[in-house]
Amino acid sequence: MEIAEKISQVRETVKKWKKEGLTVGLVPTMGYLHEGHASLVECADRMCDRVVVSVFVNPTQFAPGEDLETYPRDFERDCALLENCGCDLVFHPEVSEMYEEDAATYVEILSDMPKQLCGKTRPIHFRGVCTVVAKLFNIVEPDKAFFGQKDAQQLAIIRRMVRDMSYGIEIIGCPIVREKDGLAKSSRNTYLNEEERRAALILSQTVFLGEKLVREGERDADRLLSAMKAKLETEPLARIDYVSAVDAVTMAPVAQIKGSVLVAMAVYIGKTRLIDNFIAEVQPL
Ligand code: AMP
């Protein structure tokens, strides 16, 4: 497995692969990797000849006061995990390699899409995500790129960016990987103390409740969301940021659960903000 810190090195290696007729998959990450990331890399390994994983805590997607400085990092451990799941090249740039000091160009979706859900409390977040992912696309020029359904709004936004900017890249969404007890795996779970870790289970329990209600025939979004909020409120350590039902493609709020609906939540457990979601697929009879 090759490790590159420079954009030029990535370009050279990918150029060599493409000359040999090999296909390339990209998995963008912020590191501190877990089985959720590994599932993306394994999927990329199955679908592409060569896999590039970027490990980069992207400053432009963090607002002042968020956890940019404290975001967990352990590059050696990341490399050990990546060796075992089919990664061929790790791109691990310094911030200065990715952003010139006077960088002033952003990729931003100007519709309401990035303003919904997480965008309400994180207004510059998706501009930073789109900008860094666009840069990674330009650097790696992959055939396919892999993103987790865990960050459902991010996945939808990347799909829109790829469409709007005519990137010739296929976007593959991969299912949420959970701990045995249901908690969605996340690098931020390391922020939780023992009591908070137990309390965090309320997110997945609420997702499972929502899925059950839809399975049982609930089609009214307000009633569904009220039941989910009531469940979240049973946990004293949980503070709801949002629980919403939106169109899975456009992120516009829906009143009825029909077609493909994303039911998503962000909840603070202590100081840690966690997200979880499910997609309700309800086809008309
Ligand atoms: P991050 O390092 O948190 O930016 O995540 C990098 C990629 O891994 C994103 O596409 C995430 O959606 C995905 N990811 C993170 N956690 C999980 C998980 N538990 N299951 C599936 N994908 C995940």
Side-chain angles (χ1 to χ4, degrees):
M1 187 176 77
E2 184 181 336
I3 297 172
E5 291 191 345
K6 299 288 175 210
I7 292 170
S8 56
Q9 190 182 334
V10 176
R11 287 210 161 109
E12 228 169 86
T13 298
V14 172
K15 199 167 154 195
K16 196 184 78 210
W17 288 340
K18 293 209 164 169
K19 246 195 191 149
E20 295 169 32
L22 301 171
T23 59
V24 179
L26 170 67
V27 182
T29 83
M30 298 209 297
Y32 213 72
L33 304 178
H34 51 65
E35 287 88 341
H37 300 106
S39 75
L40 267 55
V41 181
E42 282 159 4
C43 183
D45 186 36
R46 282 194 299 275
M47 295 181 74
C48 306
D49 298 317
R50 294 289 181 271
V51 178
V52 180
V53 178
S54 59
V55 173
F56 179 62
V57 182
N58 173 39
T60 63
Q61 69 191 64
F62 290 80
E66 291 186 342
D67 57 347
L68 173 63
E69 285 81 20
T70 53
Y71 195 86
R73 293 162 169 89
D74 188 341
F75 186 59
E76 255 178 55
R77 193 169 137 268
D78 289 347
C79 286
L81 179 142
L82 290 173
E83 290 266 20
N84 286 321
C85 51
C87 171
D88 298 286
L89 170 62
V90 190
F91 179 41
H92 183 229
E94 297 278 349
V95 172
S96 57
E97 178 71 4
M98 288 296 276
Y99 295 105
E100 298 283 337
E101 218 153 276
D102 59 351
T105 306
Y106 290 91
V107 178
E108 185 172 12
I109 296 178
L110 295 177
S111 73
D112 276 347
M113 198 177 183
K115 299 189 183 114
Q116 306 291 346
L117 308 177
C118 289
K120 287 195 177 145
T121 44
R122 307 189 74 190
I124 63 149
H125 176 67
F126 291 111
R127 184 183 76 165
V129 169
C130 284
T131 302
V132 80
V133 170
K135 285 170 70 70
L136 290 168
F137 285 176
N138 291 332
I139 293 163
V140 178
E141 298 189 57
D143 299 282
K144 298 181 185 355
F146 298 77
F147 295 86
Q149 185 61 42
K150 157 95 190 319
D151 299 272
Q153 188 177 14
Q154 168 173 285
L155 173 57
I157 283 174
I158 298 296
R159 287 192 197 282
R160 176 61 57 89
M161 176 185 85
V162 162
R163 191 201 71 176
D164 287 357
M165 299 302 291
S166 309
Y167 278 107
I169 298 171
E170 188 185 352
I171 301 302
I172 311 286
C174 302
I176 300 177
V177 176
R178 299 180 178 280
E179 303 284 355
K180 276 204 185 69
D181 60 8
L183 178 67
K185 288 190 187 258
S186 164
S187 310
R188 289 192 167 97
N189 291 348
T190 52
Y191 296 150
L192 304 169
N193 66 29
E194 211 174 299
E195 200 192 352
E196 291 167 341
R197 172 66 182 77
R198 181 200 48 74
L201 282 181
I202 199 67
L203 280 91
S204 52
Q205 287 169 358
T206 301
V207 162
F208 301 151
L209 169 69
E211 285 179 319
K212 179 168 160 281
L213 291 173
V214 173
R215 239 185 353 258
E216 288 172 355
E218 183 59 82
R219 298 291 177 262
D220 183 81
D222 275 348
R223 269 203 312 261
L224 174 69
L225 298 175
S226 297
M228 291 176 68
K229 279 180 193 152
K231 173 82 181 170
L232 286 168
E233 280 161 2
T234 62
E235 173 48 63
L237 293 188
R239 185 165 58 81
I240 300 172
D241 177 1
Y242 68 80
V243 188
S244 305
V246 298
D247 181 280
V249 174
T250 65
M251 304 284 110
V254 298
Q256 289 293 312
I257 310 298
K258 66 165 192 257
S260 193
V261 174
L262 168 68
V263 183
M265 65 180 77
V267 176
Y268 287 92
I269 302 291
K271 287 202 170 83
T272 306
R273 186 173 174 281
L274 299 176
I275 55 174
D276 206 339
N277 70 78
F278 69 97
I279 301 266
E281 295 278 2
V282 179
Q283 299 316 330
L285 291 174

